Amino acid sequence: MNYTEFMNAMLCEIRGQVDAQVRTELYTVTKNNGTRRTGILFKQEDSNLAPTIYLEEFYQKYLKGQQVPDLADSICSIYQEIRVKKTCDCQNLFDFNHVYKLIRRDANEELLKQIPYEPFLDLAVVYYIQIDNTRFGSAAIQIRNEHLRYWRVEKEEIRRLAEKNTPRIYPVQIRQIVRFMYVATNEQCSLGAAVMRYPDFRERVRGMIRGDFYILPSSIHEVILVPESFGLEPERMQEMVKEINQTGVAPEEVLSDSVYYFDGEEIRIVAK
């Protein structure tokens, strides 16, 4: 069966497995960089949070021979683990952890009209609330303009909370991959490109490699650090970044084609 037929078959199978108080439907959402993904949305009557489990990877498993009932059973098991049993009181969302991530600015213009953000180089710093983490992923709420109006707060308050929380919740991790290259991310290896904005990150790296350095945005999850002393030209490194983005990174995980440079004073774009 094709993907549309598969989605409808999965929805029918899952509806036969979940409790009567759980409503399920196909749900398509526009993700980072304008990519669209479709999944099964689960809405429980006593909760105003509705997790979505995306179907693309399950379709690949179907094409490799797994059967729809077995795949539906796997999705229902995931839902049982990740569902939030309590209703989330929006008035108390400040009890949760406000954090930030980096996304590409030019590929998310429509999204950025709807959410608070801070420009950073050719990127955007956007804010979300971390609700929960499981072995299948995390539950999060993207902070939107309507949330600010509901809470009667300014963007600066959200930014202050996120700047405080993100380095604490997602500590930086740096490892050497070859003699002249390092990878920087966070301990969770998720949305780790944000570490390049941490207060002490650039000076820490500069001290570690004893000099100025380039930052290559290999994905939204990590960046590659290259000492200037190695002698690579920015244009050559930009070719590397573009190749990685085109062949090795999912479209929704691409961060930028640019190359950044830190000279001890500021970070700036040197190739785009």
Side-chain angles (χ1 to χ4, degrees), residues 23 54 62 80 132 141 145 152 174 226 253 260 270:
R23 179 172 57 85
Y54 297 107
Y62 166 77
Q80 292 300 327
D132 195 15
I141 297 175
N145 293 334
R152 297 181 182 179
I174 302 172
V226 181
E253 296 183 348
Y260 312 119
V270 292

Side-chain angles (χ1 to χ4, degrees), residues 176-194:
Q176 189 170 9
I177 51 175
V178 294
R179 181 171 59 87
F180 63 92
M181 282 188 181
Y182 301 79
V183 169
T185 181
N186 54 40
E187 289 185 355
Q188 292 81 356
C189 298
S190 176
L191 305 176

Side-chain angles (χ1 to χ4, degrees), residues 84-99:
V84 181
K85 296 182 180 180
K86 295 182 179 180
T87 298
C88 180
D89 185 353
C90 292
Q91 294 182 2
N92 296 322
L93 281 178
F94 278 95
D95 293 338
F96 294 106
N97 291 314
H98 296 66
V99 289

